[in-house]
Every structure is written in C-alpha cells, then in structure tokens.
C-alpha cells in the first residue's frame, strides 16, 4: 500500500510538472482529480469511523467531512473551468467549500489531542495554540496579509470580499498549523501511527494552501500545475492513514506491535514541547524585525499580536513555574516515601553499575549480611558470590540482559553470598534492569534452604536408621545402570533379611527391636565401601548396592561380591547387646548382578528372590541369583492362579483316609483330605497345592506371585464345611465314625473367622457330640496359648475332640501338650518313617507313646505304610494308625463300602497293645488325663 501510494502520488506530480500533455487534461486532473482524491479520503475516514468504537470516532468523522468539503470545492471549481469553460468567480461556492475544510479538521485534531486532566492544563493548551498561531499570524501579516488588508481598505469595487477571502484562507491555515503542531506534542497513545499519518496529510495540505496564498503563486496559478500534487498527495495520505497503519501493526507478534506503538523517545524530541513557547516568541520577533529592517512602519496588528503572544508566554511560564513547584514538592514527598520504604525494608536493595560495582546498598544489609552498607558500596559484586555459583550467576545475568525487556522484565537468581562473619548465606534475589546495570532485591533464605534439604533428606532416608530408603536406593540403582556405568555389568545388589528378628520383637519388645535395627544399620554402613549404598527397605529388610569396578571376569567378580556378602552376613550375625542382654539374629542375603539390559526393578526383584531362596535353604547363608529362581516363581504363580480359579469353579474333591485300630483293625475315624482335580483330570495332593499356599507366607516378591492368606482361609473353610456335611450324611445313614479335619492354631484364632463358625456348622448339620476331631497344628511359637486354650476349651464343651498334630516335631509341641486341652496325639510322619530302621527314632517314638499313655490319651501314627511299621508301633503301645498299610484316601462311595465292612486286616494278627492305653474294642475312647477334663462319651 505504501509503494502504491508513492507511485500514484509521484505519477500525479510528474504529470502536473509536464502539463499532462494538454491544457484540457491538466484542468480535468487539477479539478476533478483532486475532487476524486478528496472523495476517496472522505469515504475512507467515514468507513473507518464506522468500524471503530472508541473516542476517536468523532475525529475521523470530522476528517471525512473536511475531505468532503475539499472534494466539493474542487468539483465546483472544475464545473466552472471544465464544463462551463468560464473563470471561477470570486467569491463562489468553491470558496465556501474550501473555507469549510479547515474548521472540521481543527476540531478533529482537538478530539485526538490528549486531554488535560487539570484546569491549568486546559489553559496551557489554549496558550500553546495561541503562541503558535499568533507567531505565525505575525509573520504572515508582515509578509503578505498586510497587503491584502490595505487592499480591502482602498474601497475599490469588490475589493472587500476578495480581501476577506484572501485573509480567511491563511488565517484558517495558521489555525490548522497551530493545531497540527500542538497535537504533535499532545497526541494520544491510542493508534499513534494512524494519527501521525493523518497529521502528516493535513500538514501537507496546509503547506500547499500556504504556497497557494502567497502573492507569487496565487497570481499565476492554473489548475493542473505542480502545486496540485501537494493537495492530491495529502488527500491520498489521509485516505491511507487509518487502514495502512492498522495493517502495519496487526501481525501476530504483540511485542513488535507494542514496540512500534511506543518507540524509544530521543532527548531532542522530548525537549521540543518545552521549547515551543520560545520558538513561537522567536517567530513573532522575526515578524516585527522584518518590518523594522525593511524600513516599514510597524503595523498595529503586528504590535497587538506580538503583545498578546508575549503576554501568553508570561502567563504560560507562570503556570509552568507553579506546576514545577508543585511537582518538586510531590517528587520530594515520593522520594522520602520510597526512601523510607527502602531503608525500612527487611530485604537488601542493591544497585550495581554495568561494570558490576555496587553503587548503592540499603541499610538492611547490616541485619541480613552482617556488613554495613557503606562497606559494601564500591565492592565488586562477583567477589561476594560463592565461586561455585559465580559462573551460573554470570550466565543468568547475561541471558537476562540479552532478553527483550518487554518479554522478561525481571529474573530470579539464588546463590550463596558471603556474610560479614565469613560464612556463606543462601540469598534469593529479584533482578531488574537499571540504566545498563542491575537492581537486586535480595533476601536471606538460608533457613528455607536448610528446611528444604532436611525435608529432602527425610523423604529419602529411613527415620529410624537414617539409611537411604527404598526410593533413594532405587534411584541409586537406576543411576548405576545408566549413564557412564551403563556398560559395567559387575555391579550387584544385595538383599538382606534378619532371621529371628520377629522373635526379638515378641520376646523383649519393639523398643529393643528398634535398637537392634539401629545397630544392624550401623554395622552395615561401616561394612560397605565409600562409593556403595546401604539402605533399609522396611521392617528387618536391608539392601546394599555394590558398584562395579569394570572387571569383565564374571567368575572373579562373583567370588569377590560373594566374599563381601559373606562378610556382611558374619558381621550382622554377631551378638547384639540390647537392654543389658545379649541378643542373636542371623542374616540371609541374596545377591543379583546387573546383567545387560536389566531394569532396576528386575535387578532388585532378582536379589529379593535370591534372599528368600537363602531363607528357604536354612537361613544364615548367602545365595546367588539364578534364572531358574524366576522360572520357579512363574510356575508357582501359574499354579496359584489355577488354584484361585479352582476354588470358585468347584474343582476340589473331598477324600477320606481311614484311621484304623492297630489292635483290632476296626475303623475308628476318618481323616478328611482335599484333592484338586485340574482341568486335565489330574488330582493334586495336599503336599502339592498347600506348598503353594505356604509359599505365600514368604517375602514381598513371593506374595505378589502366589495366593494370599485369604485364599488359604477360603480353602480351609471349604474343607471344614464339606467334611462336616458329609459326616452328617454318613451319621444319618448309620455310619457313626468321627471325621478329623486338620486346622492350624493361627487359623483357629483368626479374627476374620467368625468366633462361632465351628459351633454354628455343627448345629446346622446336626452332627452329634464326639463326631468331629480337630487336628491342631501348633508350629509357631508366637501363638498366644492363653487365647488358644480358651478357644479349645469352648469347643470341647460342645463335644469336639482335639488332636495335637505333628507331635514329636516343632518348637511348640511340649508347650502345647502342657497347656492345651488335648484328647489325642498324632505322631509326626518323620518319626514313623524311621521307626524300624533307626534305633534312635525307635526309642524316641517309644518315649513319646509312653507320655501319651501316661496322660490317658489316644495315639495315632500318621504315614504307616509298611507292615513292619504296624507291628513295631503296636508293640510300642500306639493305639491307632493311618496310612497305606491299611488304605489310601477314599472317595465317598469306596469309604462307605469300607465302613460297611468295618475292619482292615492287621499285619501280624489282632493283639492287645503292650501298654494299657486303648480300649479292647479299638474305638477312640477318651480317658481322664492330667487336665481333669470332663470325659466325653465314645462315638
């Protein structure tokens, strides 16, 4: 658009300079060409005024009306010259239209001017206008207007209208020029580019009017001359003003638009408004001097105008003097206000020169830095910053100074600052630009940084032992597997578990357990190398990260790490002195190496698996991870998944194995056993699927892969309910044989199990007294015997018989026999298997059977598979046996056939037991023992 505007205006100027080729074309272009340009400007300004909604709209409407008057004046002028071929009369309608051009433009410029906020501002605006207008009037009157006035006074016919017309044009132009100059220094900030373009257009038009009214050009002027190019270009520039500027700054970059709208002011431009009154007075003086030097008599109009200009200048200077006094007082008040704010602020405010030298430091430096402000002034800022932070601070400052102020007015820098005592303080500074230098608003954040460091330490360390916790240990493992150590596969992770720690908590208390953990953590920390990491993962589980040394010999590295792990095991297994007594625990350690491509979670899982393999292998040992460990976990996970599905799909079957009297061969009871019939038709024995359930009591990795305790409990509930239900049906069919169900002491005391579930089950199925035997397994020394004794006593009052399962093995067997109400003992399978071959086991078994006989209890041997075992056990006084020597587990159909038959052949023939512990008939009769319980009638 700018290029098109320049081409059109230049083309018109060239045509006017060359005379357009003919006088007729010159008159057409000089009249109707100017009229068309004025009409274009009028339409453009009017359309723009309709498109905007602001206080500028009246100004652009007035500009449109002013251009329309210029269009009409040129059209009337062309009507006379081109259409009628006559000279334009003076005055005419064209003069009326031309005279109406300036007033709307003047008012429009006043609308665009920045409105004063005070009454004195309005007065100064009027005075500035008169100073400019009066000065121009003085100069113009001296040069040309005085001649026109004398012509009007001559009294010649028609001279007065012509003289008035010749005076009106320059006077309006003077007023218009005055407003153009005033607006240049008082223009509004809104749409400055459009306003500047409009001012330039009006200035070009006024310049052309001034040349036209001069005596030299007005006498010889003809339409189509070069002077018309000024009016033509002024009209086109006014038409372009609103739209061209709008397109120029409507791009996508608002920062560029802001820069274009607010250019940096230069000192000369900023001082021109202050010099305007003096320039006006100088112009006025020139007008008077012109008359004096030319030897003319000073005109009264010049004297009067000059006096008014001087008076206006004096008044304006007086107003400015009062304003300056008021501004000086206000500035002093604000300076005192901000000085009090700066000096009273708890933050330190510093001003640094572009060279980095401190030029000002607020008094708060004494309290924050321990150094007086005067001492810091003149100091290089770089000498006060910690050397380790200096490079980062310099880089940030350079980046900030290079960024555009509109995009990044401030930045924040945190570094360490030297205090007066020599220590380093953590300082946070907000940085602003200031005359090429910097303003720093700084505050001491040392306590905040310490608190953040403390919180970070607490989040990454165990609160009891102060060792790294699982999160920090995992991050250290990840760092060891990545970065520059990514190719070093000799790093290893050790998982450590303290064997027997739970017994310490249960026996001497949790406080002693915490002290033991603290001592174990100290030993572990002292045993690892400086670059390695020792951590506590939770409970009594610890871990260590042994960084690799780049050794590519895997065997040598495994030997070295195994030696380190064994030394840790020995150190952690040394006795602990806790609460004045000596406490011993052992350590099971699993080791896993960082194989190529392994992830941190997989490496830690492998070490966890190896640690649980060490515990399963006898504890107090070191186990290296092998891939088959993971394969075993996967296999057990698959089996656990199928077990979980089988519980819901009813794939379990209930079998019963007879308990036979060793004296008579009669069936005295049946033992309920669960079998899992898989989809392939395979029957899994209890040893197979219960081993999976027992594995769920291991570590976190194992727990994630196998069924939890709730699955085991669900299986136990199913076994008990099915056994009682089928026993009730057999009793109703006339087979009065007790059923035995195995149950752990933990399960019997489980709070998730309803307290009266066994009692309710007996009542619901109508099972008579003495028809249910609970085979109690007590293998955990932590079982509360008081609670267990109360629970068993309540069940015995209902006629439930209690058998102590696994007698002869386990920590709690003797304690259970001493404290619990037990009716019969079941010898452990391990004793029965070697009772024939091992004289030692033979004596032990004989002693246990003698104890049972002395207490008046029945005895049942489990796992009696050979005839020799039957004869040996019967000779030692065992009353009953269960095993393949008589029968394996039977389904319900085969069991009832066996019950109808009633007896099994006994190897060696029927005989009375050597010890008087059983009844001749072979049925399970409970005698009064050492517990003084009420005898239960036989089934």
């Amino acid at each position: 658009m700018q290029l098109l505007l320049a081409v059109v205006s230049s083309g018109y100027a060239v045509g006017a300079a060359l005379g357009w080729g003919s006088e007729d074309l010159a008159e057409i272009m000089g009249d109707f060409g100017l009229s068309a340009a004025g009409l274009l400007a009028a339409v453009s300004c009017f359309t723009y005024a309709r498109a905007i909604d602001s206080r500028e709209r009246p100004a652009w409407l007035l500009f449109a009306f002013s251009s329309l008057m210029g269009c009409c004046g040129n059209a009337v002028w062309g009507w006379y010259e081109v259409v009628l071929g006559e000279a334009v009369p003076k005055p005419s309608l064209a003069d009326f239209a031309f005279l109406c051009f300036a007033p709307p433009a003047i008012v429009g410029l006043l609308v665009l001017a920045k409105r004063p906020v005070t009454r004195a501002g309005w007065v100064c605006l009027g005075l500035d206008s008169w100073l400019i207008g009066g000065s121009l009037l003085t100069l113009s009157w001296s040069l040309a207007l005085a001649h026109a006035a004398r012509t009007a006074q001559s009294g010649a016919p028609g001279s007065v209208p012509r003289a008035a017309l010749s005076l009106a044009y320059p006077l309006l132009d003077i007023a218009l020029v005055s407003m153009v100059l005033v607006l240049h220094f008082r223009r509004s900030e809104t749409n400055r580019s459009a306003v500047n373009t409009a001012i330039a257009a009006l200035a070009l038009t006024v310049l052309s009017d001034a040349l036209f009214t001069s005596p030299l050009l007005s006498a010889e002027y003809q339409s189509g001359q070069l002077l018309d190019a000024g009016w033509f270009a002024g009209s086109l520039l006014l038409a372009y003003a609103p739209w061209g500027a709008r397109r120029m700054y409507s791009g996508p970059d608002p920062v560029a638009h802001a820069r274009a709208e607010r250019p940096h002011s230069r000192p000369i431009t900023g001082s021109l408004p202050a010099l305007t009154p003096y320039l006006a007075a100088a112009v006025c003086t020139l007008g008077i001097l012109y008359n004096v030097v030319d030897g003319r008599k000073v005109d009264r109009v010049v004297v009067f105008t000059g006096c008014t200009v001087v008076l206006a200048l004096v008044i304006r200077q007086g107003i400015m003097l009062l304003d300056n006094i008021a501004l000086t007082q206000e500035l002093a008040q604000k300076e005192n206000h901000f000085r009090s704010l700066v000096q009273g602020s708890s933050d330190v405010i510093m001003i640094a020169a572009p060279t980095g030298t401190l030029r000002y430091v607020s008094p708060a430096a004494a309290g924050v830095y321990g150094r007086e402000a005067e001492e810091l002034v003149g100091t290089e800022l770089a000498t006060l910053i910690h050397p380790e932070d200096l490079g980062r601070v310099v880089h940030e400052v350079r980046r900030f100074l290079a960024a555009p102020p509109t995009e990044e007015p401030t930045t924040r820098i945190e570094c360490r600052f030297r205090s007066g005592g020599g220590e380093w303080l953590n300082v946070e500074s907000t940085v602003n630009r200031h005359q090429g230098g910097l303003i720093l608003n700084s505050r001491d954040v040392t306590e905040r940084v310490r608190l953040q460091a403390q919180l970070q330490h607490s989040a990454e360390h165990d609160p009891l032992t102060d060792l790294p916790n699982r999160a920090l240990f995992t991050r250290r493992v990840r760092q060891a597997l990545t970065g520059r150590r990514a190719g070093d596969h000799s790093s290893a992770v050790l998982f450590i578990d303290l064997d027997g720690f739970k017994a310490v908590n249960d026996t001497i208390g949790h406080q002693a357990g915490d002290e033991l953990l603290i001592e174990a953590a100290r030993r572990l920390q002292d045993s690892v190398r400086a670059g390695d990491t020792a951590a506590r993962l939770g409970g009594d589980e610890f871990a260590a990260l042994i960084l690799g040394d780049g050794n590519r010999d895997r065997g040598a590295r495994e030997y070295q790490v195994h030696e380190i792990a064994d030394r840790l095991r020995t150190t952690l297994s040394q006795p602990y002195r806790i609460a004045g007594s000596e406490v011993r625990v052992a350590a099971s350690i699993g080791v896993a190496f960082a194989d190529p491509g392994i992830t941190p979670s997989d490496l830690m899982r492998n070490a966890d698996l190896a640690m649980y393999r060490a515990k399963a292998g006898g504890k107090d040992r070191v186990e290296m991870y092998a891939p088959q460990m993971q394969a075993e976990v996967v296999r057990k996970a698959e089996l656990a998944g199928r077990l979980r599905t089988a519980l819901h799909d009813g794939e379990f079957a209930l079998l019963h194995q007879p308990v036979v009297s060793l004296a008579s061969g009669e069936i005295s009871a049946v033992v309920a056993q669960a079998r899992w019939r898989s989809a392939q038709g395979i029957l899994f024995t209890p040893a197979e699927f219960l081993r999976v359930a027992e594995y769920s009591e291991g570590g976190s990795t194992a727990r994630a892969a196998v069924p939890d305790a709730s699955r085991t409990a669900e299986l136990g509930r199913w076994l008990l309910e099915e056994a009682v239900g089928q026993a009730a049906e057999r009793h109703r069919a006339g087979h009065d044989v007790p059923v035995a169900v195995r149950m752990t002491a933990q399960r019997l005391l489980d709070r998730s199990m309803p307290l009266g579930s066994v009692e309710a089950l007996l009542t619901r199925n109508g099972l008579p007294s003495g028809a249910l035997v609970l085979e109690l397994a007590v293998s955990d020394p932590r079982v509360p015997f008081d609670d267990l004794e109360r629970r068993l006593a309540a069940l015995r009052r209902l006629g439930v018989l209690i058998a102590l399962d696994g007698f002869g093995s386990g920590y709690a067997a003797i304690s259970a026999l001493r404290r619990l109400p037990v009716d019969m003992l079941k010898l452990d399978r391990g004793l029965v298997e070697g009772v024939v071959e091992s004289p030692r086991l033979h004596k032990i078994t004989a002693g246990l059977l003698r104890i049972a006989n002395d207490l008046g209890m029945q005895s049942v041997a489990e796992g009696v598979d050979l005839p020799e075992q039957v004869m040996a056990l019967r000779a030692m006084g065992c009353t009953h046996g269960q095993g393949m020597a008589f029968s394996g587990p039977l389904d319900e159909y085969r069991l009832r056939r066996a019950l109808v038959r009633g007896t099994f052949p006994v190897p060696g023939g029927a005989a009375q037991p050597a010890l008087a512990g059983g009844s001749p008939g072979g049925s399970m009769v409970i005698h009064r023992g050492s517990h003084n319980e009420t005898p239960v009638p036989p089934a």
Side-chain angles (χ1 to χ4, degrees):
M1 287 299 296
Q2 294 174 348
L3 182 61
L4 179 62
L5 181 65
V7 169
V8 173
S9 300
S10 301
Y12 190 96
V14 171
L18 298 178
W20 295 104
S22 66
E23 293 183 0
D24 294 338
L25 182 58
E27 288 182 352
I28 292 174
M29 294 303 297
D31 295 332
F32 292 111
L34 294 181
S35 178
L39 181 61
L40 178 62
V43 173
S44 175
C45 293
F46 180 76
T47 304
Y48 180 69
R50 291 282 304 273
I52 63 175
D53 185 16
S54 65
R55 76 179 192 89
E56 298 180 13
R57 174 183 287 182
W60 292 102
L61 289 175
L62 289 170
F63 291 156
F65 181 75
S66 177
S67 299
L68 183 62
M69 290 297 99
C71 170
C72 293
N74 285 300
V76 171
W77 199 288
W79 175 263
Y80 281 105
E81 285 189 341
V82 177
V83 179
L84 300 180
E86 301 176 357
V88 181
K90 293 186 178 181
S92 66
L93 289 177
D95 295 319
F96 173 78
F98 287 144
L99 290 176
C100 292
F101 172 82
I106 293 172
V107 178
L109 291 174
L110 285 173
V111 172
L112 290 178
K114 184 185 296 184
R115 298 178 183 178
V117 295
T118 62
R119 186 178 302 174
W122 284 105
V123 174
C124 288
L125 177 62
L127 291 175
D128 289 344
S129 302
W130 173 243
L131 284 170
I132 297 173
S135 302
L136 294 176
L137 176 60
T138 302
L139 186 60
S140 301
W141 189 272
S142 301
L143 295 176
L145 297 183
H147 175 72
R150 285 192 293 270
T151 301
Q153 293 176 357
S154 63
S159 60
V160 175
R162 291 191 183 92
L165 190 62
S166 61
L167 289 174
Y169 280 117
L171 291 176
L172 290 175
D173 287 338
I174 288 172
L176 187 57
V177 169
S178 302
M179 292 312 304
V180 167
L181 292 175
V182 171
L183 179 62
H184 177 71
F185 301 120
R186 292 180 173 270
R187 59 185 179 276
S188 175
E189 294 293 332
T190 307
N191 203 3
R192 280 181 81 172
S193 299
V195 174
N196 288 338
T197 307
I199 291 175
L202 294 176
L204 186 58
T205 303
V206 170
L207 179 62
S208 300
D209 286 346
L211 294 174
F212 173 74
T213 56
S214 64
L216 296 176
L217 294 179
S218 59
E220 299 179 0
Y221 172 77
Q222 291 182 356
S223 296
Q225 292 183 351
L226 187 60
L227 184 60
D228 293 344
W231 286 314
F232 183 80
S235 297
L236 291 185
L237 195 60
L238 186 60
Y240 166 79
W243 309 103
R246 191 178 187 183
R247 280 192 297 272
M248 189 183 302
Y249 303 112
S250 59
D253 189 1
V255 176
H257 174 67
R259 293 178 186 171
E261 289 289 341
R262 294 186 295 273
H264 298 290
S265 61
R266 298 185 178 91
I268 297 178
T269 305
S271 60
L272 281 178
L275 296 176
T276 300
Y278 305 102
L279 293 175
V283 171
C284 182
T285 304
L286 287 175
I288 298 174
L289 289 177
Y290 175 78
N291 287 297
V292 174
V293 172
D294 199 25
R296 301 178 185 177
K297 181 182 178 181
V298 179
D299 196 292
R300 287 176 295 178
V301 175
V302 174
V303 174
F304 177 77
T305 305
C307 291
T308 56
V309 169
V310 173
L311 180 61
L313 179 60
V314 172
I315 296 174
R316 189 185 187 281
Q317 290 302 106
I319 295 175
M320 294 301 297
L321 180 60
L322 295 176
D323 280 348
N324 288 338
I325 294 174
L327 289 175
T328 302
Q329 294 176 351
E330 183 180 357
L331 181 60
Q333 292 177 357
K334 289 184 177 180
E335 184 178 358
N336 292 333
H337 174 68
F338 285 108
R339 185 181 298 277
S340 62
L341 289 178
V342 170
Q343 293 181 351
S345 174
S346 59
D347 294 347
V348 180
I349 299 175
M350 299 181 293
I351 300 178
T355 59
T357 304
L358 294 177
R359 297 190 305 195
Y360 172 79
V361 179
S362 65
V368 176
Y369 299 147
R371 304 179 68 173
E372 295 296 331
E374 293 78 7
E375 180 185 349
L376 292 174
V377 173
T379 306
E380 290 288 337
L381 185 60
T383 61
L384 303 175
I385 299 175
H386 196 283
E388 296 178 1
D389 300 339
L390 183 59
R392 175 174 52 85
V393 172
V394 171
H395 175 75
E396 175 62 20
V397 169
R398 289 176 177 173
R399 185 202 62 79
F400 170 67
L401 293 177
T406 53
E407 295 180 0
E408 191 173 3
T410 63
T411 188
R412 190 178 66 86
I413 296 176
E414 187 169 329
C415 63
R416 284 167 288 180
F417 201 89
R418 188 190 299 274
S419 67
E423 66 271 11
W424 294 100
L425 303 176
N426 293 93
V427 175
E428 181 186 68
S429 302
T430 302
V431 184
N432 295 270
R433 299 173 180 85
H434 176 70
Q435 297 178 358
L438 300 172
I439 294 181
L440 298 95
N441 190 354
S442 306
R443 63 197 63 86
D444 183 10
V445 294
T446 304
E447 290 300 324
R448 189 194 70 186
V449 172
R450 289 175 181 171
L451 179 59
Q452 289 177 345
Q454 181 180 354
L455 293 176
Q456 182 72 17
H457 182 85
S458 300
E460 296 180 341
H461 289 76
D462 176 57
L464 179 63
T465 62
D466 203 40
L467 289 180
N469 58 13
R470 183 181 293 273
L472 180 57
F473 183 76
T474 303
R475 186 161 72 248
R476 296 275 178 86
V477 173
R478 184 178 295 107
Q479 293 172 355
L481 298 181
T482 56
R484 63 184 181 88
R485 291 186 173 272
D488 186 3
H489 306 304
S490 59
S491 297
V493 169
L494 280 61
F495 264 44
I496 306 164
D497 186 84
L498 299 182
D499 304 320
F501 174 74
K502 292 181 176 61
V504 175
N505 272 343
D506 295 337
T507 54
I508 60 177
H510 289 274
Q511 179 65 34
D514 291 343
E515 294 180 10
L516 189 148
L517 290 176
I518 294 172
E519 176 62 21
R522 186 191 62 78
R523 294 184 185 182
L524 179 61
Q525 184 67 51
D526 294 342
S527 300
V528 298
R529 300 174 302 179
D532 298 335
T533 300
R536 182 191 177 205
L537 305 184
D540 59 343
E541 291 187 355
F542 295 85
L545 171 63
I546 309 299
L547 296 178
D549 54 3
N551 189 357
R552 296 184 178 273
D553 187 351
R554 181 63 180 265
R557 181 58 178 166
E558 287 185 359
Y559 177 80
Q560 180 184 7
V561 173
H562 190 282
E563 193 176 51
I564 295 174
D566 196 61
R567 187 171 65 250
L568 287 176
R569 181 193 62 80
T570 303
T571 301
L572 295 174
S573 300
Q574 295 296 322
Y576 295 83
R577 195 70 182 176
I578 305 297
S581 59
E582 190 176 89
V583 178
R584 290 181 177 271
V585 294
S588 296
I589 302 178
V591 182
F593 281 91
D595 296 326
I598 196 170
T599 63
S601 59
D602 290 343
L603 179 58
M604 296 172 64
R605 179 207 61 198
N606 293 347
D608 196 16
L609 289 175
M611 184 266 290
Y612 280 105
R613 174 59 65 89
K615 292 176 72 68
K619 302 180 180 181
D620 193 17
R621 55 181 294 174
V622 177
E623 189 77 30
M624 307 292 288
Y625 171 77
Q628 57 266 28
M629 295 181 185
Q630 178 63 21
E632 182 180 353
V633 170
V634 173
R635 183 186 65 81
K636 291 185 177 181
E638 294 176 353
L639 184 60
R642 296 202 304 268
L643 175 62
R644 186 180 301 110
T645 304
L647 282 172
H648 293 283
D649 295 347
E651 296 180 3
F652 277 93
L654 186 65
L655 303 181
H656 294 83
Q657 188 172 22
V659 177
V660 179
S661 171
L662 298 182
S664 62
E666 294 181 1
I667 301 175
S668 57
V670 292
V671 178
Q673 296 179 359
R675 291 293 186 273
W676 174 20
R677 188 183 303 276
S678 68
Q680 293 78 18
I682 302 174
L683 280 176
F684 288 97
T685 65
E688 291 173 319
F689 65 77
L690 287 182
R691 188 161 47 239
V692 179
E694 291 171 358
Y695 189 75
S696 68
E697 298 176 3
S700 58
T701 305
R703 281 194 297 269
V706 295
D708 52 17
S710 62
R711 299 298 175 189
T712 308
E714 187 176 352
L715 177 60
R717 284 195 298 270
W718 176 88
L719 177 63
L720 181 62
E721 291 175 358
E722 287 293 317
V724 172
Q726 292 187 18
E729 292 180 2
R730 288 193 297 271
H731 274 271
R732 286 191 289 271
H735 303 292
D736 300 332
V737 179
V739 61
V741 180
R742 187 177 186 273
M743 181 177 292
T744 64
Q746 291 87 343
R747 175 61 188 154
L748 190 62
L749 296 177
D750 190 1
R751 294 183 178 180
S752 62
M753 181 179 180
L755 187 61
S757 58
V758 177
E759 294 84 342
L761 188 62
L762 295 175
T763 304
R764 184 170 66 250
N765 289 275
L767 197 64
S769 175
L772 176 63
V773 180
L774 288 182
E775 296 181 350
L776 189 67
V778 183
S779 59
D780 193 340
R782 296 173 298 176
V783 173
F785 279 99
D786 294 337
D787 298 340
L788 184 59
E789 184 178 5
R790 287 192 294 270
R791 180 73 176 124
L792 294 179
L795 291 174
R796 291 187 77 237
R797 284 194 292 269
L798 294 175
V800 177
L801 304 180
I802 307 300
L804 185 60
D805 190 28
F807 188 67
S809 67
Y811 171 84
I814 301 300
S815 298
L817 187 62
R818 178 175 60 86
R819 298 188 57 182
L820 300 180
V822 178
D823 299 310
M824 63 187 70
L825 299 179
K826 290 195 70 173
L827 294 180
D828 184 67
R829 179 184 294 269
L831 296 176
V832 176
E833 289 176 350
V835 71
V836 177
E837 294 84 0
S838 174
R840 189 181 187 88
L841 284 180
H842 188 280
K843 293 180 179 180
I844 293 174
T845 305
L848 294 176
L849 290 173
R850 188 175 297 107
I851 292 174
N853 183 67
D854 292 342
L855 295 176
M857 298 181 184
Q858 299 285 344
S859 55
V860 180
E862 184 180 6
V864 182
D865 299 332
L866 302 175
E868 296 82 357
Q869 295 173 346
V870 175
M871 292 183 289
L873 290 170
R874 185 173 60 182
M876 286 185 286
C878 184
T879 59
H880 296 80
Q882 168 191 346
M884 298 302 296
F886 303 105
S887 172
L890 305 175
D891 58 19
E892 187 66 19
Y893 173 75
R894 290 180 174 83
L895 176 62
R896 294 203 178 192
R897 288 182 57 186
L899 292 177
V900 170
R901 189 173 62 250
T903 60
F904 285 96
V906 179
Q912 292 295 328
L915 300 175
S919 61
S923 61
M924 290 182 133
V925 181
I926 307 302
H927 300 276
R928 183 181 301 273
S930 61
H931 296 283
N932 297 323
E933 297 94 352
T934 303
V936 179

